[in-house]
Amino acid sequence: QMDVNFKAPFFLAQAFAKNFQKGAVINMLDTDIVSSHGSHFAYLLSKKALAEFTTMAARELGPNMRVNGVCPGPMLPAYADDVAYMAKLPTVLPLRAIATVQQAVEACAYLARAAAVTGQLIFVDGGQHVL
């Protein structure tokens, strides 16, 4: 989990900044970074580390590099058992809807072109992170 979810984005951002000196990095996080519970300890820890890296890198790599993150919530069932969970989830979310993959893509597109935005984490989760 640490290799895929933290080390790879860390080294890719580092290489990108070194080779291009200007641009935008968008890290893919998870809405659950705001909590400390769940059954996926290593996964959550790696995403929390990436979130902290995102804000630290924004400070360190500016002004030429912008670093932001998108924190999607559940969008698609990963397992057969998730179908019931995904059907119930909208009933408890503040926006009463699960975010779509397209909405996460739109958040990334916004961050790619928003020249005055760095160090931000955008939650695309129907409000799940505030529960």
Side-chain angles (χ1 to χ4, degrees), residues 13-118:
Q14 187 178 52
F16 182 75
K18 180 180 178 185
N19 288 300
F20 293 98
Q21 286 95 38
K22 187 172 177 125
V25 172
I26 302 168
N27 290 317
M28 293 307 294
L29 302 163
D30 189 303
T31 192
D32 285 340
I33 63 169
V34 298
S35 68
S36 293
H37 57 74
S39 59
H40 306 290
F41 178 83
Y43 170 81
L44 186 56
L45 182 61
S46 67
K47 290 295 188 173
K48 284 176 171 272
L50 184 58
E52 189 62 27
F53 166 72
T54 299
T55 56
M56 292 176 72
R59 191 172 44 248
E60 184 69 24
L61 297 176
N64 295 324
M65 297 294 297
R66 296 180 302 104
V67 185
N68 294 290
V70 173
C71 308
M75 295 180 177
L76 303 168
Y79 306 101
D81 296 348
D82 288 348
V83 174
Y85 169 75
M86 295 296 287
K88 181 183 174 194
L89 185 57
T91 66
V92 299
L93 295 176
L95 294 181
R96 299 293 187 256
I98 295 171
T100 66
V101 172
Q102 181 60 37
Q103 290 166 329
V105 169
E106 290 167 3
C108 291
Y110 165 74
L111 290 172
R113 66 178 182 271
V117 178
T118 194

Side-chain angles (χ1 to χ4, degrees), residues 3-16 27 50 53 57:
D3 288 347
V4 171
N5 294 321
F6 176 70
K7 288 182 182 178
F10 172 86
F11 289 120
L12 285 169
Q14 187 178 52
F16 182 75
N27 290 317
L50 184 58
F53 166 72

